[in-house]
Amino acid sequence: MRTERRTPLNRARVLDAGIALADTEGVDALTMRRLGGTLGVEAMALYNHVANKEDLFDGMLDRVAEEITLPDVDLPWRDYARARAVSAHTTLMRHRWAAAMWTARISLGPARMRYMDGALRSLREAGFPAGLLDLTYHAIENHIVGHALQAQGFPLEAAEMTAMGEGFLRTFPTDRYPDLAAHIRHHLDHPTGDDFEFGLDLILDGLERMRAVT
Amino acid sequence: MRTERRTPLNRARVLDAGIALADTEGVDALTMRRLGGTLGVEAMALYNHVANKEDLFDGMLDRVAEEITLPDVDLPWRDYARARAVSAHTTLMRHRWAAAMWTARISLGPARMRYMDGALRSLREAGFPAGLLDLTYHAIENHIVGHALQAQGFPLEAAEMTAMGEGFLRTFPTDRYPDLAAHIRHHLDHPTGDDFEFGLDLILDGLERMRAVT
DNA sequence: ACCTGAACACCGTTCAAGT
DNA sequence: ACCTGAACACCGTTCAAGT
């Protein structure tokens, strides 16, 4: 049985395979050799399509950014900000490894530039003055990334989550840290965790109030 | 010239050396061999004091948590939350590598447990009901971590920052992303970035309002 | 143009051996 | 009790060589 010669690699296929590997096995499992393996190719072949591992991550990140739905530019700023934040949040939940790189990397691809520029434009057109605008943008963005990073510590499956928590609480010094114990128990009872939109609306409400004043 | 026999290693010295190395050279430069080198010891000797690299990071993180000043428990919740958030923020700015691990790791040492338990206790005693309390805690925490992660992408020195930005803007498609370009320019003009407290107060104000209602 | 083999300078970690 | 040498199974990356 002869294995068919695969269609030649290209950058997009390398990036997508990288995302798939990081999604399923974790970002630590993403090595050039393993990534090559999933594509039926030696590790060195990847260097024809990405400059190095940094460039690979930057490319993966921008491809993730493409998955974020940018709202209609004519929406009121609050609806625009809310819709884009929710979409960014959903996307980062699908690709949890991306959270730690999301704002920490300076290198921006076109999709991330569109994302940022659109958000900033919406705020400016809503009348946020220069200084407040940048603070506003970061307040929202920090919440998105902070939440995604927090979610990273938890397993994806609810059952797995419960098992982890039970084992955790068994050895936990509940009497010394009663409030923390209650907090952990709360996480076990509410594994879905819709607290993203709670914090988001808190921020958006505050921003609307500030905008009205200035 | 004979080198004096050093006082034997212990866990605290290993952790502190790890923090110092990560602070100065970046977390990627923190390898067991290099860390051993800074302590005048072979890499393998470290395994007498930390179980493995995971354990090393967990230990370092808890030592960082010790640097956070926990406010007086008798303070009103808003003052407590604000003081602890500002102290956590200052600490994470000193140890930027810690941001990505801060909430993503489940393994908690005693210092982080004290930090979390104290924060949760203050909110509970202020009358936040069970459900709201956990949302509140995360809203604040997400902001701290989100901001720290965002700061990670920027160099520490103002001069270095300006140089980076100038080079960045030179090749930047300003006409295609005018609002993003303005945002970057804003970052260059305000390298200090006191936007942490802006977002923090936004959240705290919103929380106080919710607490008053319930 | 794209891929591979061999090689280099690293990693984390184990373990028997030293003091 | 603490440290080391040697070793193992990996890394990212370069480069000459193959098709």
Side-chain angles (χ1 to χ4, degrees):
Chain A
M1 189 182 84
R2 299 180 44 196
T3 54
E4 191 114 13
R5 196 82 186 93
R6 299 209 172 285
T7 74
L9 234 46
N10 56 49
R11 186 168 225 263
R13 278 185 60 219
V14 171
L15 299 181
D16 287 342
I19 291 171
L21 186 54
D23 284 351
T24 54
E25 311 255 357
V27 75
D28 288 339
L30 173 43
T31 69
M32 299 304 267
R33 283 170 172 84
R34 282 200 63 177
L35 178 55
T38 70
L39 289 161
V41 116
E42 298 300 318
M44 310 81 191
L46 301 173
Y47 288 89
N48 287 310
H49 306 99
V50 294
N52 49 36
K53 209 174 177 185
E54 286 276 285
D55 183 43
L56 170 65
F57 279 134
D58 283 334
M60 286 166 58
L61 220 55
D62 210 59
R63 214 142 166 88
V64 166
E66 286 175 20
E67 292 181 24
I68 302 174
T69 309
L70 289 189
D72 190 321
V73 288
D74 295 327
L75 283 177
W77 81 267
R78 200 188 188 288
D79 297 333
Y80 185 101
R82 197 175 199 287
R84 109 181 140 81
V86 168
S87 181
H89 171 249
T90 307
T91 302
L92 286 181
M93 287 298 100
R94 254 199 309 270
H95 311 290
R96 303 198 170 196
W97 52 268
M101 307 182 192
W102 192 247
T103 49
R105 305 206 148 225
I106 3 82
S107 160
L108 300 172
R112 293 188 63 200
M113 287 190 185
R114 269 197 304 277
Y115 169 83
M116 295 177 71
D117 194 68
L120 290 161
R121 174 188 165 168
S122 171
L123 294 172
R124 175 176 54 72
E125 290 181 344
F128 282 96
L132 185 58
L133 191 155
D134 297 284
L135 297 173
T136 293
Y137 174 75
H138 283 302
I140 299 170
E141 222 55 20
N142 289 346
H143 181 67
I144 296 170
V145 170
H147 183 93
L149 205 68
Q150 140 80 27
Q152 219 175 248
F154 296 109
L156 299 91
E157 305 294 339
E160 204 182 330
M161 172 96 175
T162 310
M164 185 188 92
E166 297 299 343
F168 197 79
L169 281 177
R170 215 191 318 283
T171 61
F172 191 84
T174 305
D175 43 343
R176 200 178 318 181
Y177 308 108
D179 288 287
L180 177 52
H183 181 71
I184 294 169
R185 227 174 274 115
H186 182 266
H187 267 286
L188 296 179
D189 297 343
H190 305 273
T192 45
D194 50 356
D195 54 327
F196 174 73
E197 303 198 5
F198 170 82
L200 178 62
D201 286 325
L202 212 63
I203 292 167
L204 295 179
D205 288 347
L207 291 171
E208 174 57 41
R209 216 169 279 117
M210 298 201 72
R211 191 187 69 99
V213 169
T214 30
Chain B
M1 188 182 85
R2 298 180 47 197
T3 55
E4 192 113 11
R5 196 83 186 91
R6 299 212 173 283
T7 75
L9 234 47
N10 56 49
R11 186 168 225 265
R13 279 186 57 219
V14 171
L15 299 181
D16 288 342
I19 291 171
L21 186 53
D23 284 351
T24 53
E25 310 256 357
V27 74
D28 289 339
L30 173 42
T31 71
M32 298 305 266
R33 283 171 171 85
R34 282 200 62 174
L35 178 55
T38 70
L39 289 161
V41 115
E42 298 299 319
M44 310 82 191
L46 300 173
Y47 288 89
N48 287 310
H49 306 100
V50 294
N52 48 39
K53 209 174 177 184
E54 286 277 285
D55 183 42
L56 170 66
F57 279 133
D58 283 334
M60 286 165 59
L61 219 55
D62 210 58
R63 216 146 164 84
V64 166
E66 285 175 20
E67 291 181 26
I68 301 174
T69 308
L70 289 189
D72 191 321
V73 287
D74 295 327
L75 284 177
W77 80 269
R78 200 188 188 289
D79 296 333
Y80 185 100
R82 196 175 201 290
R84 106 179 145 80
V86 168
S87 181
H89 171 249
T90 308
T91 302
L92 286 180
M93 286 300 100
R94 253 198 310 271
H95 311 289
R96 303 198 169 195
W97 51 269
M101 308 182 189
W102 192 247
T103 49
R105 304 207 148 223
I106 4 81
S107 159
L108 299 173
R112 292 187 63 199
M113 287 191 184
R114 269 197 304 277
Y115 169 83
M116 296 177 71
D117 194 69
L120 291 160
R121 173 188 167 169
S122 171
L123 295 173
R124 176 177 52 74
E125 290 180 344
F128 282 96
L132 185 58
L133 191 155
D134 298 283
L135 297 174
T136 294
Y137 174 75
H138 283 303
I140 300 170
E141 222 55 19
N142 290 347
H143 181 67
I144 297 170
V145 170
H147 182 94
L149 204 68
Q150 140 80 28
Q152 218 175 248
F154 296 108
L156 299 92
E157 306 294 338
E160 206 181 328
M161 172 95 174
T162 309
M164 184 187 92
E166 296 301 341
F168 196 79
L169 281 178
R170 214 188 320 281
T171 61
F172 191 84
T174 305
D175 43 342
R176 200 177 318 181
Y177 309 108
D179 288 286
L180 177 52
H183 181 71
I184 294 169
R185 228 174 274 116
H186 182 266
H187 267 286
L188 295 179
D189 297 343
H190 305 274
T192 45
D194 51 355
D195 54 326
F196 174 73
E197 303 199 5
F198 170 82
L200 178 62
D201 286 325
L202 211 63
I203 292 167
L204 295 179
D205 287 347
L207 290 171
E208 173 58 40
R209 217 168 278 119
M210 298 202 71
R211 192 187 69 100
V213 170
T214 30

